Amino acid sequence: MDDLVGALKRASDETNRDNTLIWFTGDNGPWEKKCQYAGSVGPYTGTWQTSRGGGSAKQTTWEGGHRVPTVAYWPSRIPANTSSHALLSGMDIFPTLLSMAGLKPPVDRRYDGIDATDVLLNGDQTGREFLFHPNSGASGLFGDLQTVRAGKHKAFYITGSAEACGGGRGTQLLHDPPLIFDLGVDQAEATPLDAGAPEYQEVLGKVTKAREELLWDIATDQSVSTADYTQDQSAAPCCDPQRASCRCPGPAGG
């Protein structure tokens, strides 16, 4: 990976260095079930979860599972040795690149990303007000709205059962009201705020309203794909062991 990114950077530097943006980002945290080969989550240990069993990295919505580094390189536009704490998502890449290219996306659909041009080029620290994290295999049904991030606070409605090193899993739990952590002082997500504290109540009001608005947006979005991949054979993956893009069911297909 290091060599590949280096080759891309060299090609850019030798051809059109001042007019090329290189944007590199990770996609998820380490896979804890791989134990010593998994990588490190740093301070984002998800201690509340790990102290009750189960993993808190890949597949989970704990910080160690989805907080990833991003590096943006554009010598003529982005000052070197600068950093940003703006709250962004991989979904923001598409609308940001369109904006930089002077293009507008089609208007017949909704977009989940925001234009982060000012964050990258102008030092803006605003970013997103909220981030919504659906379940991706740890707890509940795929796509269930599991966690809401609001500034430095994070609210968990579901915690649970990602596999940790050694095979242990936590117990899936629903939280109503949610667990809320202050990431400004608790990066390890060890101790949730007291539900009776004014800070908790203030954050709860914000995330409850934002969560309801998002669920309504999802329910009324007419541009969502309606393909049923479990029954529509025309949408089923091909089966050809000689082609890397195909996957075959059963032992023969790997």
Side-chain angles (χ1 to χ4, degrees):
M1 177 65 73
D2 181 66
D3 185 66
L4 175 61
V5 174
L8 292 172
K9 180 179 178 296
R10 285 192 300 273
S12 169
D13 288 345
E14 292 169 1
T15 54
N16 202 6
R17 180 176 182 267
D18 290 334
N19 196 35
T20 303
L21 167 66
I22 297 177
W23 191 342
F24 180 89
T25 181
D27 66 344
N28 55 243
W31 203 0
E32 284 185 278
K33 65 188 295 184
K34 299 294 184 180
C35 299
Q36 69 266 34
Y37 303 107
S40 171
V41 296
Y44 308 110
T45 53
T47 304
W48 188 95
Q49 182 63 67
T50 57
S51 66
R52 292 164 173 79
S56 62
K58 182 177 179 177
Q59 292 188 320
T60 79
T61 56
W62 299 96
E63 289 297 283
H66 65 81
R67 178 191 285 248
V68 294
T70 290
V71 177
Y73 173 77
W74 195 352
S76 67
R77 303 293 300 277
I78 301 176
N81 301 315
T82 57
S83 61
S84 173
H85 297 286
L87 196 59
L88 296 176
S89 163
M91 295 184 292
D92 302 328
I93 296 175
F94 176 63
T96 302
L97 295 183
L98 287 184
S99 175
M100 289 181 176
L103 301 174
K104 294 186 179 299
V107 297
D108 62 342
R109 67 204 69 183
R110 303 182 190 179
Y111 298 90
D112 294 317
I114 66 170
D115 180 1
T117 301
D118 282 343
V119 174
L120 290 181
L121 304 186
N122 301 320
D124 182 40
Q125 298 285 334
T126 304
R128 288 171 170 265
E129 183 179 5
F130 298 101
L131 272 180
F132 303 96
H133 303 297
N135 166 47
S136 58
S139 305
L141 298 175
F142 275 94
D144 277 353
L145 183 55
Q146 187 168 346
T147 308
V148 179
R149 174 77 181 271
K152 66 174 184 175
H153 294 98
K154 193 165 160 199
F156 282 85
Y157 290 87
I158 308 174
T159 56
S161 56
E163 185 176 346
C165 176
R169 289 181 177 271
T171 301
Q172 179 178 303
L173 297 173
L174 302 179
H175 302 279
D176 185 15
L179 301 176
I180 297 179
F181 295 86
D182 180 351
L183 300 180
V185 296
D186 185 14
Q187 293 181 325
E189 296 171 293
T191 307
L193 298 176
D194 181 348
E199 181 182 5
Y200 178 97
Q201 294 300 320
E202 180 182 357
V203 176
L204 178 63
K206 292 180 181 179
V207 298
T208 298
K209 184 176 184 293
R211 182 171 180 262
E212 290 174 351
E213 290 175 350
L214 177 69
L215 292 174
W216 177 252
D217 181 74
I218 293 171
T220 58
D221 189 350
Q222 299 301 312
S223 66
V224 176
S225 171
T226 58
D228 184 348
Y229 294 98
T230 62
Q231 298 181 20
D232 187 346
Q233 291 303 309
S234 66
C238 53
C239 177
D240 183 349
Q242 303 304 313
R243 296 173 59 191
S245 61
C246 294
R247 294 292 184 269
C248 303

